[in-house]
Amino acid sequence: MPTVIVATGNPGKLKEMQVYLDDLGWQLQLKPEDLDIDETGATFLENARLKAAGVAKALGQWAIADDSGLAVNALGGAPGIYSARYADSDRARIDRLLGELAGCSDRSAQFVCALALANPQGDIVVETEGLCPGEILPEPRGSGGFGYDPIFYVPDLGKSFAEMLPQQKEAVSHRGVAFGQLMPHLKALTLG
């Protein structure tokens, strides 16, 4: 069973990625805590590439990286690649975003997820980007999910991400779309 390093220190992200990659028979493993890769890219895809390539080269193993966040149209794409660093807690990030959108009629937004897989030499062998369009609610709804989920509304389903069952969210989310696009390429790879 090939081992693939997930270029994150977040066990929750590893668990979420495992759901999508289960059928491949890969053993996923978190990157070492002391291995930090600077996210200096200007886009989600650039940051995913940097993380995957950096971890793969440093460890001499296959590595997969995810860089994702929320892009709000009325805010010029913010918080964008700074989604996790927009404030110091989920509640503070939501409050800041809602404050910045106060009085704004355009509440359109999208969640973005970029994925990159690097071989042990650090070459990116496959990459993709998934989008989930939606709107920012005026106040949080639902108790599931994390991050911006309580204020991200998907009109087609009439629910915020935080109101969806995990299986519903996996099917329509930016991460679900990105993994759906990536899977045929991953299944065709032989990791060695």
Side-chain angles (χ1 to χ4, degrees):
M1 177 182 298
T3 297
V4 177
I5 308 301
V6 178
T8 184
N10 181 338
K13 192 173 271 192
L14 178 129
K15 186 177 177 185
E16 200 167 281
M17 290 176 90
Q18 185 70 62
V19 170
Y20 295 108
L21 299 173
D22 240 7
D23 294 344
L24 295 175
W26 295 357
Q27 179 181 338
L28 297 183
Q29 184 178 317
L30 287 175
K31 74 169 184 62
E33 281 186 45
D34 60 346
L35 177 57
D36 290 320
I37 306 296
D38 290 331
E39 296 180 37
T40 57
T43 66
F44 293 110
L45 197 51
E46 286 176 16
N47 282 332
R49 288 180 194 135
L50 287 168
K51 292 188 284 188
V55 167
K57 272 197 275 197
L59 301 175
Q61 292 183 270
W62 286 87
I64 191 167
D66 161 317
D67 198 56
S68 53
L70 179 65
V72 179
N73 296 335
L75 301 178
I81 60 172
Y82 304 105
S83 292
R85 300 181 294 274
Y86 213 49
D88 61 3
S89 70
D90 285 349
R91 185 69 229 186
R93 284 185 277 279
I94 286 172
D95 289 345
R96 177 179 175 188
L97 186 64
L98 292 178
E100 291 178 359
L101 283 176
C104 186
S105 59
D106 179 7
R107 300 187 76 85
S108 61
Q110 53 273 331
F111 264 118
V112 181
C113 175
L115 298 170
L117 178 73
N119 67 19
Q121 294 75 42
D123 302 317
I124 302 300
V125 296
V126 64
E127 62 185 34
T128 192
E129 193 168 66
L131 302 174
C132 180
E135 300 169 4
I136 303 301
L137 292 166
E139 59 188 36
R141 284 186 11 196
S143 58
F146 60 93
Y148 299 97
D149 287 0
I151 59 169
F152 188 76
Y153 178 77
V154 179
D156 290 349
L157 297 178
K159 295 180 180 181
S160 75
F161 268 4
E163 293 174 305
M164 293 181 193
L165 295 171
Q167 299 84 350
Q168 274 183 309
K169 183 181 170 191
E170 287 166 16
V172 301
S173 77
H174 52 307
R175 192 165 285 113
V177 170
F179 272 105
Q181 294 169 353
L182 197 66
M183 286 306 290
H185 303 285
L186 298 182
K187 287 178 180 175
L189 282 174
T190 303
L191 305 188

